[in-house]
Amino acid sequence: HNLEMKHLPGADPELVLLSHRYEELERIPLSDMTREEINQLVQELGFYRKETPDAPVPEEFQFAPAKPLPTLLPPQVPTADGKTPPKRDKEEHLDL
């Protein structure tokens, strides 16, 4: 789930991890890894493997393996009525 394979002729194989905004987070070269090592890596990174291609994905894995974002929230500024807006959980996705 949330893993897409793209074959690029002539390119060295690598795993490109993207944020929920499709920004590149990390590139992991796969050339020197066996199939078993790649499967283990993907599992360690938190990807969910469905039992069958059409099997449902449990709710807790819908956005997996999304890593928590660094604190990207703007500083808390009082609103027009002088109250500070409630703090958000730093792992909350603002655009979801």
Side-chain angles (χ1 to χ4, degrees):
H1 178 68
N2 288 343
L3 182 68
E4 182 179 329
M5 165 94 174
K6 289 186 182 179
H7 178 72
L8 303 175
D12 288 334
E14 59 186 355
L15 178 62
V16 181
L17 301 175
L18 304 174
S19 73
H20 68 283
R21 293 187 180 134
Y22 298 97
E23 297 163 333
E24 186 175 313
L25 298 173
E26 186 177 356
R27 285 181 178 259
I28 303 170
L30 302 175
S31 297
D32 297 330
M33 297 176 76
T34 65
R35 181 184 191 116
E36 291 79 21
E37 290 170 328
I38 293 170
N39 286 336
Q40 182 178 354
L41 170 67
V42 169
Q43 185 176 17
E44 288 171 1
L45 288 170
F47 286 90
Y48 177 78
R49 184 177 182 128
K50 297 190 282 185
E51 294 293 324
T52 63
D54 60 341
V57 175
E59 186 175 333
E60 64 269 21
F61 291 103
Q62 287 295 319
F63 299 104
K67 296 180 181 179
L69 295 175
T71 305
L72 298 176
L73 301 174
Q76 296 294 318
V77 179
T79 58
D81 63 1
K83 296 180 181 177
T84 302
K87 290 185 178 182
R88 297 177 190 234
D89 182 3
K90 68 181 176 183
E91 292 185 21
E92 178 180 351
H93 293 283
L94 301 176
D95 58 344
L96 297 178

